[in-house]
Amino acid sequence: MDVISAIATAKGRGGVAIVRLSGDGALGLAQKMFSRRDAFEPNVMYAGEIDCGVFRDFGLCVWFRAPKSFTGEDVVEFHCHGGSEIARGVLKRTLSLGARLAERGEFTKRAFLNGKLSLSAAEGMADMINAESEAEVRAGYALYNEKLTSEVKRLSALLKECLAEIDADIDYPEEDLEVSTGKETEKRLDVVCGALRALLKQYGAGRKLKSGVSVVICGKPNAGKSTLLNALLGYDRAIVSDEAGTTRDLVEGTMEYRGVLFRLVDTAGLHDSNDRIEQDGIRRAKAAIDGADVILWLKEDEPPVTFPEGTPLIRAGAKSDVGHKADCDVLFSAKTGEGMDALKELVYERGYGRENEGVFVMEERHYAAAGEALKYADEAREAISRGAPAELYAEDVGRALNALGKISGESATESVIDEIFEKFCVGK
């Protein structure tokens, strides 16, 4: 493929900037502008002058020989001083010598096309690059480390074994293998369906790991909601006052705990009010409660409160330093710190879950593909159980295999692939 070139480091001043080239002829092009005249050894960093045409810079040059490089092609990097004009000068010189400017994500796209990483791993890399928190980095890495791809390949291999057996049965009917083939295929499909259901079950945890867990703090006016929000965040985000009804709108902040991002929402106190502004705040509070991943209710001695069915609820007794509430899951004092660690653990457990480990499905695209694969695998099992001909359920097995390929990229459409790599910056 032709040689592409781009600045791989962020814009602006810095200690070092990197200009990256990839493609057949990348090394020959780089040698035309680097002072070293001896042979280059791969994976060795050489110091020398970089000739940018109108000026020179003293820097470093390294060559990664195909296929042992990020893209699977010959890759060369120039490490120059970090001024913006220096990096641009190096880039312009590579373009004048025959390289073309890389498109967004083209280096990673070439890595995918050359089999260096899967499509889902590329999505994880994009998530890591665009992450704004440690939790988002972890979520991206969970995709990038190919755990999901490995599971998809394992299930795909089982489906391919099913198809191979079915084909043998169809091609050699005189062997009378249909009954035994059907039983073996059904066993493999049982494994595939069970694994796919487990993957789909983890979607909620994966989504929370990537986007954060929404925790809505609610209760009566003056229950200590804003004080708790500030204590969890570690800084004063919400106004705290002894006057009831101080919070009239949603106040939000983020907290990371055990590698998971929690999006905390402080709400207006839940009570009857004739004040139109307060009524609007209460309406927004109820809407936030309806969309919460977990509800943190600062319970007081009050009539039972109705919350959305199915949403995890924590009954928390606040202000434990001045009195204990009855029938609470946890007691705490944001003022003294008593019970705060126990509260965080409970928020983690109810909002995210201790059992959430292993392979995650966190992209909607992956969830849809896994669901499609499960649908067709289930239909194939049902066809076998009712004694349908092998030719019929073979089509469903093939459709399930094709659906799984959408995750790894083996059967993803060109438009989906292009959309994914457009998430990257130029130079990655």
Side-chain angles (χ1 to χ4, degrees):
M1 299 181 75
D2 55 347
V3 177
I4 56 174
S5 180
I7 299 172
T9 42
K11 294 180 180 179
R13 297 177 181 177
V16 176
I18 299 174
V19 178
R20 177 178 293 149
L21 300 93
S22 181
D24 296 337
L27 177 60
L29 188 154
Q31 286 176 312
K32 293 177 182 178
M33 53 188 292
F34 196 62
S35 60
R36 179 178 175 81
R37 293 293 173 258
D38 296 332
F40 270 68
E41 292 294 327
N43 309 319
V44 176
M45 192 79 78
Y46 293 103
E49 281 190 344
I50 305 171
D51 181 2
C52 302
V54 295
F55 66 83
R56 291 173 178 268
D57 183 34
F58 189 85
L60 303 170
C61 184
V62 60
W63 166 49
F64 303 98
R65 181 164 54 194
K68 296 182 179 180
S69 69
F70 173 69
T71 64
E73 306 168 344
D74 277 352
V75 172
V76 175
E77 289 181 354
F78 286 112
H79 294 228
C80 59
H81 288 98
S84 298
E85 286 303 317
I86 299 174
R88 278 198 289 264
V90 176
L91 174 62
K92 288 179 182 178
R93 181 62 169 160
T94 65
L95 301 179
S96 71
L97 291 172
R100 69 167 173 82
L101 185 64
E103 298 175 359
R104 295 174 68 91
E106 189 170 2
F107 289 94
T108 309
K109 186 176 184 179
R110 289 190 176 197
F112 163 67
L113 295 174
N114 290 324
K116 302 297 289 186
L117 77 171
S118 68
L119 194 58
S120 59
E123 289 173 281
M125 184 187 297
D127 289 342
M128 291 175 68
I129 292 171
N130 296 319
E132 296 181 356
S133 70
E134 176 188 328
E136 289 174 306
V137 173
R138 289 183 68 237
Y141 188 72
L143 271 181
Y144 179 62
N145 69 5
E146 300 280 21
K147 281 187 177 180
L148 177 60
T149 303
S150 296
E151 178 67 356
V152 166
K153 287 182 177 179
R154 182 180 75 87
L155 300 181
S156 296
L158 288 173
L159 293 175
K160 288 176 183 177
E161 289 174 9
C162 291
L163 288 174
E165 290 182 343
I166 294 170
D167 286 344
D169 182 29
I170 294 172
D171 292 341
Y172 302 99
E174 67 276 5
E175 298 294 335
D176 196 23
L177 299 172
E178 187 169 350
V179 174
S180 60
T181 297
K183 290 181 179 178
E184 288 301 316
T185 299
E186 192 170 14
K187 287 180 182 178
R188 288 190 174 91
L189 290 174
D190 284 340
V191 174
V192 170
C193 290
L196 287 172
R197 288 193 176 90
L199 276 179
L200 293 170
K201 185 178 179 182
Q202 289 289 72
Y203 176 64
R207 180 184 60 81
K208 291 174 183 178
L209 187 61
K210 179 178 179 180
S211 304
V213 181
S214 172
V215 181
V216 174
I217 305 171
C218 62
K220 293 177 65 175
N222 221 14
K225 300 182 296 296
S226 298
T227 302
L228 174 59
L229 176 70
N230 292 340
L232 290 173
L233 297 179
Y235 63 90
D236 290 341
R237 177 69 178 87
I239 298 173
V240 176
S241 170
D242 291 334
E243 182 179 341
T246 301
T247 301
R248 297 192 172 197
D249 201 353
L250 304 180
V251 181
E252 302 181 13
T254 59
M255 170 190 77
E256 284 193 39
Y257 184 71
R258 294 179 59 176
V260 177
L261 183 69
F262 292 89
R263 301 187 181 279
L264 309 175
V265 183
D266 179 21
T267 60
L270 301 176
H271 69 295
D272 295 328
S273 174
N274 295 320
D275 186 295
R276 291 182 60 186
I277 297 178
E278 214 170 12
Q279 286 176 347
D280 188 54
I282 295 169
R283 178 186 62 78
R284 295 185 184 190
K286 290 180 178 178
I289 290 170
D290 289 339
D293 291 319
V294 61
I295 301 167
L296 180 50
W297 175 34
L298 302 195
K299 183 179 180 298
E300 296 191 319
D301 297 328
E302 57 196 296
V305 179
T306 302
F307 292 108
E309 187 176 350
T311 304
L313 173 67
I314 298 174
R315 300 173 179 83
K319 306 177 183 179
S320 62
D321 53 312
V322 295
H324 292 313
K325 309 294 190 302
D327 301 323
C328 291
D329 299 312
V330 63
L331 301 173
F332 73 93
S333 169
K335 183 177 180 181
T336 66
E338 178 191 0
M340 289 295 292
D341 288 341
L343 176 63
K344 290 178 182 178
E345 277 292 311
L346 199 54
V347 169
Y348 176 88
E349 184 176 338
R350 300 277 175 89
Y352 179 69
R354 297 180 184 276
E355 74 284 357
N356 292 321
E357 300 293 343
V359 182
F360 287 101
V361 172
M362 60 187 70
E363 299 284 348
E364 185 177 346
R365 186 181 74 82
H366 301 163
Y367 182 79
E372 184 182 353
L374 176 60
K375 171 181 176 291
Y376 287 124
D378 261 336
E379 288 179 1
R381 290 170 65 217
E382 291 174 7
I384 294 172
S385 64
R386 64 173 184 267
E391 291 90 340
L392 291 183
Y393 59 79
E395 291 186 12
D396 286 326
V397 174
R399 291 190 183 105
L401 181 61
N402 183 72
L404 285 180
K406 294 177 182 179
I407 298 175
S408 63
E410 292 179 17
S411 59
T413 64
E414 188 174 342
S415 60
V416 168
I417 292 171
D418 289 342
E419 182 181 343
I420 288 170
F421 289 106
E422 284 175 1
K423 297 177 182 178
F424 287 84
C425 57
V426 174
K428 188 57 180 174

